[in-house]
């Protein structure tokens, strides 16, 4: 398969390689595809997606904390964690 290279695509592929940590366009596209499928779901390969799960939990529980949201959206392709710090005083 060949994809026509345009200036806009080259820029996107460059940024995608940076964002995924992949050294090749094909590796970056694979990582991005895996991430998208895990977020979206509704496929034979990935029947349960993270975004639908997040919406389901929010509907059931009424609201979620930032830590709970990060827990649902954390996947191997793009790890996500939540940290909170407090600073009282001057």
């Amino acid at each position: 398969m060949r994809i026509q290279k345009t200036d806009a695509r080259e820029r996107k592929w460059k940024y995608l390689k940076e964002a995924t940590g992949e050294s090749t366009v094909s590796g970056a596209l694979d990582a991005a595809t895996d991430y998208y499928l895990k977020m979206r779901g509704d496929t034979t390969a990935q029947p349960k997606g993270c975004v639908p799960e997040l919406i389901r939990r929010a509907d059931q529980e009424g609201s979620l904390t930032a830590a709970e949201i990060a827990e649902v959206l954390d996947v191997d392709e793009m790890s996500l964690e939540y940290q909170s710090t407090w600073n009282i005083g001057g």
Side-chain angles (χ1 to χ4, degrees):
M1 173 173 89
R2 284 185 61 83
I3 299 174
Q4 184 178 358
K5 191 184 290 189
T6 64
D7 290 342
R9 281 190 181 132
E10 266 192 284
R11 279 192 306 278
K12 288 177 189 176
W13 293 340
K14 177 186 175 209
Y15 299 143
L16 190 59
K17 284 177 10 182
E18 290 173 9
T20 60
E22 295 288 334
S23 61
T24 64
V25 171
S26 61
L29 290 172
D30 283 345
T33 301
D34 290 343
Y35 177 74
Y36 179 86
L37 292 173
K38 282 188 178 179
M39 289 297 116
R40 175 80 166 87
D42 289 341
T43 67
T44 302
Q46 190 71 39
K48 182 179 171 191
C50 294
V51 172
E53 172 67 12
L54 181 62
I55 293 168
R56 184 193 63 74
R57 282 194 53 191
D59 277 346
Q60 285 182 339
E61 299 174 30
S63 66
L64 298 172
T65 66
E68 291 169 326
I69 293 168
E71 179 185 314
V72 172
L73 295 180
D74 180 36
V75 294
D76 292 341
E77 289 76 14
M78 187 167 77
S79 64
L80 183 64
E81 64 181 48
Y82 172 78
Q83 295 180 355
S84 176
T85 58
W86 290 85
N87 186 2
I88 298 176

